[in-house]
Amino acid sequence: MRNIDATTTTPAFLQRLDDCGNPRLKQVLSSLVTHLHDFAREVKLTEAEWMQGIQFLTATGQMCNDTRQEFILLSDTLGLSMLVVALNQAKPPGATEATVFGPFHVDDAPAAEQGADIAGGAPGTSLFVTARVLDLQGRPIAAAEVDVWQADDEGLYDVQRPELGRTRRARGVLHTDTDGRVRFRSIMPTPYPVPTDGPVGQMLLASGRHPWRPAHLHFMIRAEGFETLITHIFRDPDPYLDSDVVFGVRSSLIGNFVAHDAGTTPDGAKMATPFYTLDQDFVLAPKA
Ligand code: BEZ
Ligand code: FE
């Protein structure tokens, strides 16, 4: 096809896919490029804007390294990550809802015993968590793996602190007992901004958007015969519950954090400063 103009570009591209032997790739590429062309036509994209877009994506790629994934952050802040979660992680009624994974999970988090303090010295107000893992019938799931991670009081994950090297803190992997329970001590989560020192930060600023996530604990829960659950527990009140920069908040994921005066903690110790408790049930969906 020759003499392509603003209207014939799209059918010309689609024709080039005639010999594509992978039907799913053909479907995804056809739709993606059709929408991309429609977008350019709709906004009458200028050449300067096209170049700015190319430079933005180039800078996004250049920002990526082993510990920084600017493209995922871009997807998160554009709402695409949460949309993909919503499309793929719809749960049956009664099961705990999923939300974004985020970039701060590590595969080598330390194993933690029941009742352990997983904060590992991270600064923050003490929090005592009891979590129960249940099936849809409310029966406890024993030996489920509960992987938890969170930012510290200054809004930073351990992996964002070069001074910690490979020391892990404010994260741990526990296993439920026969009652489906894990107990651990950590610190209260606080709101924090996603990294803003790259192109995504510039995009947020230029769009008049703030970079904050409401306070949360991350959980990934795995058990034999059940769908893996990747989720957060948020706290209320929080100034960012309705404007999470990555669109991850679900009302059902707001936990019951209870403030306590200094005194006896759930593990029977004496605490000289106020602390919080969180009692949280997670309900897993059976594997399809
Ligand atoms: C997080 O909650 O850790 C997170 C999620 C998406 C982007 C940045 C951080
Ligand atoms: Fe987080």
Side-chain angles (χ1 to χ4, degrees):
M1 199 184 235
R2 296 186 185 180
N3 308 317
I4 302 294
D5 64 22
T7 55
T8 54
T9 321
T10 309
F13 173 80
L14 295 177
Q15 201 180 56
R16 301 286 165 93
L17 293 179
D18 279 352
D19 295 333
C20 176
N22 178 334
R24 178 63 176 165
L25 176 64
K26 189 169 176 175
Q27 182 191 18
V28 170
L29 260 186
S30 302
S31 176
L32 178 67
V33 175
T34 300
H35 285 284
L36 197 60
H37 289 185
D38 282 344
F39 147 76
R41 278 186 284 263
E42 184 183 320
V43 301
K44 292 200 169 40
L45 195 68
T46 68
E47 286 168 290
E49 288 163 343
W50 172 84
M51 180 50 87
Q52 206 179 349
I54 296 292
Q55 285 166 345
F56 176 79
L57 292 175
T58 304
T60 301
Q62 287 168 341
M63 199 74 196
C64 294
N65 59 37
D66 284 353
T67 55
R68 177 78 178 259
Q69 231 302 354
E70 194 77 356
F71 267 114
I72 294 184
L73 189 59
L74 180 60
S75 162
D76 295 341
T77 54
L78 294 181
L80 180 62
S81 307
M82 197 54 211
L83 172 59
V84 173
V85 170
L87 287 171
N88 291 280
Q89 295 291 330
K91 304 286 182 196
T96 303
E97 294 190 284
T99 188
V100 284
F101 191 41
F104 298 123
H105 178 263
V106 301
D107 290 333
D108 62 347
E113 296 299 322
Q114 291 286 358
D117 181 356
I118 66 163
T125 303
S126 290
L127 167 69
F128 293 83
V129 179
T130 303
R132 267 193 328 159
V133 182
L134 307 169
D135 68 11
L136 280 174
Q137 286 70 42
R139 294 175 298 216
I141 302 175
E145 181 187 277
V146 178
D147 189 341
V148 53
W149 67 105
Q150 68 168 108
D152 63 29
D153 205 18
E154 289 163 17
L156 293 173
Y157 286 82
D158 50 6
V159 292
Q160 293 177 290
R161 290 186 177 276
E163 73 274 17
L164 289 179
R166 294 191 64 80
T167 302
R168 303 294 183 217
R169 69 182 199 186
R171 63 175 81 236
V173 180
L174 300 98
H175 287 88
T176 54
D177 62 16
T178 49
D179 291 329
R181 271 201 182 78
V182 291
R183 289 177 297 103
F184 61 93
R185 178 176 170 173
S186 190
I187 49 172
M188 279 299 280
T190 53
Y192 65 84
V194 298
T196 54
D197 56 342
V200 171
Q202 287 166 11
M203 179 272 290
L204 292 173
L205 190 66
S207 322
R209 291 176 59 191
H210 72 68
W212 290 85
R213 295 221 62 206
H216 58 272
L217 298 171
H218 291 259
F219 287 89
M220 175 159 67
I221 304 183
R222 290 193 265 225
E224 188 94 25
F226 294 88
E227 297 288 345
T228 295
L229 173 67
I230 294 172
T231 196
H232 300 359
I233 297 300
F234 297 93
R235 59 181 291 205
D236 192 6
D238 185 296
Y240 303 110
L241 280 175
D242 290 310
S243 63
D244 179 10
V245 68
V246 304
F247 307 93
V249 179
R250 295 180 184 277
S251 304
S252 68
L253 299 179
I254 293 174
N256 184 27
F257 290 87
V258 178
H260 300 266
D261 292 332
T264 308
T265 65
D267 58 9
K270 284 267 180 263
M271 190 99 182
T273 51
F275 61 92
Y276 282 82
T277 53
L278 169 67
D279 253 305
Q280 185 67 43
D281 285 353
F282 294 93
V283 179
L284 301 192
K287 217 168 210 133

